[in-house]
């Protein structure tokens, strides 16, 4: 906008831009100084307020630093700026403000990263106001270095820091405000970031943002992993605690059930009640039950009471009381303190086992306000399985508190267990025992009355019967869907929340909640964040330093191009940009030069080209809109045609698809015979066409019908009215035909057939249809041609495979014939050669498939299982892997067969590779020997010597006992020997004159 205004006023663009740039820098300096004074003043006020609340040396140092910043800013406004010394003033103020930021980040906890960001942004803003590039570099480098220094020193914890909750709350807001101020300054053009500053910012952002995201993801992952591990440990601890309670009940059940079957109990109960006293059975019973009390589970503190109830519910003998009650039904007696002679027929612990015959565990029954008991009873049966009494065991309820207290601190010192019943009443609490016998959440009044009448709750005021933890009660009710929880269980909002796991006891309507108090994973996350933050700061610092140098290199050619662009924008079309390099800047300069050369021509031609192009597009749209639907349908047909392979299916599918998609009466496909004399119908969709196929309908090429004409000329033909077309063939099988179109099927210049399409409408086909269906005809021709090629290729491949198999069979026959050993046997004795061929091997060689046999052992011997798997090389069986094992029920599994087949495949590859290597080695040795013999022969120029060397080398190489070379001599009258064949000379003889023949060598033996 400024450049346009300057150009419009007629001023020199470069001077105006420089003036505008200088004015913007001064405005930026003045605005920055005022902002620094205001910001430092606000910080100083806040520091004074914090020093009053918490007087430490850190607040004092920060207050002094901010006061010095305010003083430097005021001094710059009053002393430097009126005299034009803007840069000296902003430098002094900025240095003092940077020092205040550094001290703030080092002395206040959790402010290192915000102060580093503020310092970095401030350095970038300051660099936009400075004119000297060297000072800009120093400003940016100093900002980057100080930002990294703040983060590293603060995270290492070298300097003591103070913490303020107020600062933690308002720091994000302060950062947001500063960011908004920076955006406003850029929007109002008080701050104009140069290309170098943008590059540095981009480099740092590219590195810092991914590192910050990675650190955030890592923090979340660590927190989740830590929480998952803690949840797993809580679930294990809850299950272990529940198992402890279950084990106590189980041990009690096992022991009580075992002793209830004692014959002494039955004998004692069969004695009349009045005669039991003083009997030997009573003495034995006393010693037995007293011994049981001592040896019962958890008897170290809570010794149980054993009682023997007869069939009338009378406490016949009780280890917990020696009192004999004369009036056993006295209602004033507390049922929980029944002793010997008491009438307990109405008690549930008697009724349940006596009537059902099953063991019974009573709920926890409260005595008074802080004590509870529970009963365990089993039926006593005589030899006729008749219940003659009940064995009752009474335990103090504090034993449950002891059991769960043993599991305190399983995963941490502050971990404990809570046991609650089905009504949400705490039966035991290892952390706060005072909460025992209190419900987790308030219960309805009717429920409280019912539970108190059943002695399930103490007789206390309603406000003392609950811990008022409704969230915990909701978790207990929904434990199956959410066995893990995070709650405040102690009604103390100042503490951290508790997390825990809930497990239901097996066989009891009780739940165990195992709790970890004051859970906080912040310490671990803080330690990991420290390392990640230091790493991110160091990396950002290094990248920032690299960015400063890189931006200087990249900005230099951009400045040159920017000056040329300014000249062009001012109207100097003749301006030329430097294009002496081959990089992107050189290419940009070259493109800029081309642009100035072509700009005028493009402006003149642009409107004409646009107008002409618009007309062409309108015409094309008119045509394309008419054929779009047909082309879409044609593409679908062509796609399905190309996907078929079998020729008959291809032709039939083409005829049916074309008829279905375009709604034609008849579609036929003709193919020429081998002599190109007749066009034979090969596929059709209509009923008449199928009758024509049945009688092998054909048309003579060039003579009969439109199809004959098309297959002769190779040009499409349309009969808009078949009655007036001279070439139309009136086919009685297609009486409804009124118009017809035939298109040649051509591959290159070769005509292979025709596509015949007939319609029941006159004039159904036009010239545009020929252009449209010519593409389909070409696709059909290509499909037919490809089908033929595919068949020919398949036949050629089959022949090649057959020849290769014959070659492999011959090669391996020759290979095995030359070896003395054809196989090897491995058993417990080791590896031995094997030449015996089993009958199953012949089957494997003949069929090329595995043979599995299981034969029954003779004379009681184990079954014998054998498996013969072919060793196949490219379809040719060259050997057999035979595996044999024995056993009573030995059968080969599918995995074992697959393993042997895989091994056989690997063996086949290895054997074939070995054979090829040996063949190659033998060939190489033969070639090497030939070359050596040739080299020795060429070492002399004497023919006789050459033949002698050849004879000797061949004899040594072949191991022959006799070697000779014979050369036929020329036939002359003087050399004819009538006693020998014409032209032959003795092998070892020499003619006297030495002219009628040539001796080729000497005989070697």
């Amino acid at each position: 906008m400024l450049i346009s205004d300057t150009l419009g006023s007629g001023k020199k663009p470069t001077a105006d831009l420089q003036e505008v740039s200088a004015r913007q820098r001064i405005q930026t300096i003045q605005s920055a100084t005022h902002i620094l004074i205001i910001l430092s003043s606000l910080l100083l006020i806040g520091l004074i307020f914090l020093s009053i609340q918490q007087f430490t040396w850190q607040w004092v140092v920060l207050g002094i630093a901010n006061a010095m910043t305010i003083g430097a800013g005021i001094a710059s406004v009053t002393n430097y700026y009126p005299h034009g010394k803007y840069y000296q003033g902003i430098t002094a103020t900025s240095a003092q403000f940077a020092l205040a930021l550094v001290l703030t980040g080092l002395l206040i906890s959790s402010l290192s990263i915000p102060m580093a960001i503020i310092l970095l942004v401030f350095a970038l803003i300051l660099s936009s106001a400075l004119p000297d590039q060297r000072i800009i570099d120093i400003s940016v480098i100093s900002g980057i270095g100080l930002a990294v220094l703040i983060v590293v020193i603060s995270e290492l914890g070298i300097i003591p820091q103070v913490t303020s909750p107020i600062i933690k709350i308002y720091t994000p807001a302060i950062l947001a405000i500063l960011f908004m101020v920076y955006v406003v300054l850029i929007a109002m053009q008080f701050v104009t970031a140069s290309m170098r500053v943008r590059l540095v910012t981009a480099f740092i952002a590219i590195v810092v943002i991914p590192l910050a995201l990675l650190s955030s993801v890592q923090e979340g992952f660590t927190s989740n992993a830590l929480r998952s591990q803690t949840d797993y440990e809580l679930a294990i601890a809850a299950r272990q605690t529940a198992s402890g309670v279950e084990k106590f009940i189980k041990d009690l059940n096992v022991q009580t059930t075992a002793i209830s079957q004692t014959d002494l109990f039955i004998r004692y109960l069969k004695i009349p009640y009045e005669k039991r006293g003083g009997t030997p059975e009573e003495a034995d019973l006393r010693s037995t039950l007293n011994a049981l009390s001592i040896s019962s589970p958890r008897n170290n503190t809570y010794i149980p009471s054993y009682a023997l109830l007869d069939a009338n519910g009378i406490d016949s003998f009780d280890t917990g009381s020696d009192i004999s009650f004369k009036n056993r039904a006295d209602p004033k007696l507390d049922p929980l303190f029944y002793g010997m002679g008491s009438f307990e027929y109405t008690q549930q612990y008697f009724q349940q086992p006596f009537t059902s015959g099953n063991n019974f565990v009573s709920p926890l029954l409260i005595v008074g306000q802080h004590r509870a008991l529970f009963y365990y009873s089993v039926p006593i049966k005589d030899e006729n399985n008749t219940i003659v009494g009940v064995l009752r065991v009474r335990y103090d309820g504090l034993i449950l508190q002891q059991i769960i207290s043993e599991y305190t601190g399983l995963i941490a010192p502050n971990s404990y267990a809570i046991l609650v019943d089905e009504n949400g009443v705490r039966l035991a609490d290892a952390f706060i025992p005072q909460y025992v016998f209190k419900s987790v959440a308030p219960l309805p009044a009717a429920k409280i009355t019912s539970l108190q009448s059943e002695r399930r709750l103490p007789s206390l005021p309603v406000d003392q019967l609950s811990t008022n933890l409704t969230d915990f009660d909701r978790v207990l009710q929904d434990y199956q869907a959410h066995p893990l929880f995070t709650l405040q269980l102690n009604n103390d909002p100042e503490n951290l929340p508790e997390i825990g796991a809930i497990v239901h006891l097996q066989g009891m309507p009780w739940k165990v909640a195992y709790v970890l108090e004051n859970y906080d994973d912040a310490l671990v996350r803080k330690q990991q964040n420290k390392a990640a933050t230091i790493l991110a700061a160091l990396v950002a610092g290094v990248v920032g330093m690299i960015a400063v140098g890189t931006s200087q290199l990249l900005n230099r050619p951009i400045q040159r191009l920017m000056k040329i662009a300014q000249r062009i924008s001012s109207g100097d079309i003749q301006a030329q940009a430097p294009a002496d390099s081959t990089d992107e800047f050189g290419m940009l300069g070259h493109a800029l030069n081309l642009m100035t050369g072509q700009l005028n021509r493009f402006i003149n031609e642009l409107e004409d080209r646009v107008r002409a192009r618009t007309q062409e597009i309108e015409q094309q749209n008119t045509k394309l809109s008419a054929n779009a639907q047909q082309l879409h349908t044609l593409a679908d047909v062509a796609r399905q045609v190309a996907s078929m392979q079998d020729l008959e299916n291809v032709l039939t599918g083409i005829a049916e698809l074309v008829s279905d998609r375009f709604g034609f009466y008849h579609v036929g496909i003709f193919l020429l015979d081998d002599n190109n004399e007749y066009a034979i119908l090969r596929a059709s969709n209509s009923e008449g066409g199928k009758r024509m196929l049945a009688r092998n309908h054909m048309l003579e090429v060039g003579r009969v019908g439109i199809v004959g004409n098309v297959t002769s000329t190779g040009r499409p033909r349309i009969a808009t009215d078949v009655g007036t077309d001279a070439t139309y063939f009136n086919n009685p099988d297609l009486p409804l035909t009124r118009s017809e179109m035939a298109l040649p099927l051509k591959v290159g210049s070769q005509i292979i057939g025709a596509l015949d399409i007939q319609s029941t409408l006159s004039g159904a086909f036009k010239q545009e249809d020929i252009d449209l269906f010519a593409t389909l005809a070409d696709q059909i021709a290509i499909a037919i041609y490809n089908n033929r090629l595919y068949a020919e290729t398949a036949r050629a491949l089959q022949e090649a495979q057959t020849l290769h198999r014959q070659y492999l069979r011959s090669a391996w026959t020759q290979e095995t014939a030359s070896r003395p050993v054809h196989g090897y046997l491995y058993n417990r004795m080791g590896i031995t050669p094997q030449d015996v061929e089993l009958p199953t091997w012949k089957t494997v060689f003949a069929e090329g498939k595995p043979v599995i046999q299981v034969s029954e052992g003779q004379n009681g011997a184990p079954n014998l299982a054998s498996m013969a798997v072919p060793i196949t090389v490219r379809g040719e069986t060259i050997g057999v892997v035979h595996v044999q094992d024995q056993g009573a029920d030995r059968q080969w599994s599918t995995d074992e067969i697959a393993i042997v087949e895989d091994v056989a495949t690997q063996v086949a590859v290895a054997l074939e590779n070995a054979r090829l290597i040996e063949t190659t080695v033998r060939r190489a040795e033969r070639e090497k020997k030939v070359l050596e013999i040739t080299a020795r022969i060429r070492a002399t120029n004497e023919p006789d010597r050459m033949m002698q060397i050849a004879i000797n080398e061949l004899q040594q190489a072949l191991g022959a006992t006799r070697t000779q070379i014979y050369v036929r001599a020329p036939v002359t009258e003087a050399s004819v020997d009538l006693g020998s064949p014409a032209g032959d000379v003795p092998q070892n003889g020499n003619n006297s004159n030495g002219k009628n023949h040539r001796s080729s060598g000497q005989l070697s033996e």
Side-chain angles (χ1 to χ4, degrees), residues 527-700:
Q527 187 66 26
Q528 293 196 354
N529 289 340
K530 179 186 295 185
T533 303
I534 293 175
L535 177 62
L538 294 176
V539 172
V542 174
V543 172
M545 299 302 179
I546 296 174
V548 173
T550 304
S551 63
Q552 184 177 3
L553 296 177
L554 296 177
N555 192 49
R556 195 173 298 161
I558 293 176
Q559 291 292 334
R560 293 199 300 264
L561 292 175
M562 185 178 65
K563 293 179 181 179
I564 298 299
Q566 290 173 353
R567 291 176 56 188
I568 294 173
S569 64
S570 64
D572 187 5
I573 306 299
Q574 304 300 324
Q576 295 292 312
D580 51 355
S581 62
T582 58
D583 57 5
E584 289 81 0
F585 296 108
M587 295 174 63
L588 182 60
H590 181 68
L592 196 61
N593 295 335
L594 291 178
M595 180 190 69
T596 57
Q598 297 178 0
L599 185 59
N600 290 326
R601 180 168 55 85
F602 284 166
I603 293 174
N604 296 329
E605 296 177 356
L606 183 59
E607 292 185 359
D608 294 337
R609 292 175 61 185
V610 170
R611 187 180 301 106
R613 187 60 179 168
T614 303
Q615 294 177 354
E616 293 178 3
I617 292 174
E618 292 177 353
Q619 295 174 358
Q620 292 294 331
N621 288 337
T622 302
K623 294 180 181 180
L624 291 175
S625 60
N627 297 331
Q629 186 63 33
Q630 290 183 337
L631 288 174
H632 179 71
T633 304
L634 185 63
D636 291 341
V637 175
R639 189 181 303 110
Q640 296 189 37
V641 166
S643 64
M644 300 180 182
Q645 292 185 352
D646 183 69
L647 182 59
E648 297 300 328
N649 292 334
V650 168
L651 300 180
T652 303
I654 291 171
E656 293 178 354
L657 286 172
V658 173
S659 175
D660 293 341
R661 295 297 181 92
F662 294 95
F664 294 130
Y665 167 55
H666 168 78
V667 177
I669 299 176
F670 292 83
L671 296 181
L672 297 181
D673 60 3
D674 295 337
N675 298 325
N676 293 334
E677 295 179 355
Y678 291 94
I680 304 173
L681 181 64
R682 297 295 298 275
S684 177
N685 71 300
S686 62
E687 294 296 331
K690 294 179 180 178
R691 291 193 296 270
M692 295 159 60
L693 285 172
R695 66 170 184 270
N696 197 20
H697 177 71
M698 63 180 65
L699 297 174
E700 188 174 359

Side-chain angles (χ1 to χ4, degrees), residues 820-826 830-836:
V821 178
H822 296 162
Y824 294 91
L825 172 66
Y826 173 79
I831 299 177
T832 58
Q834 178 73 17
D835 289 329
V836 178

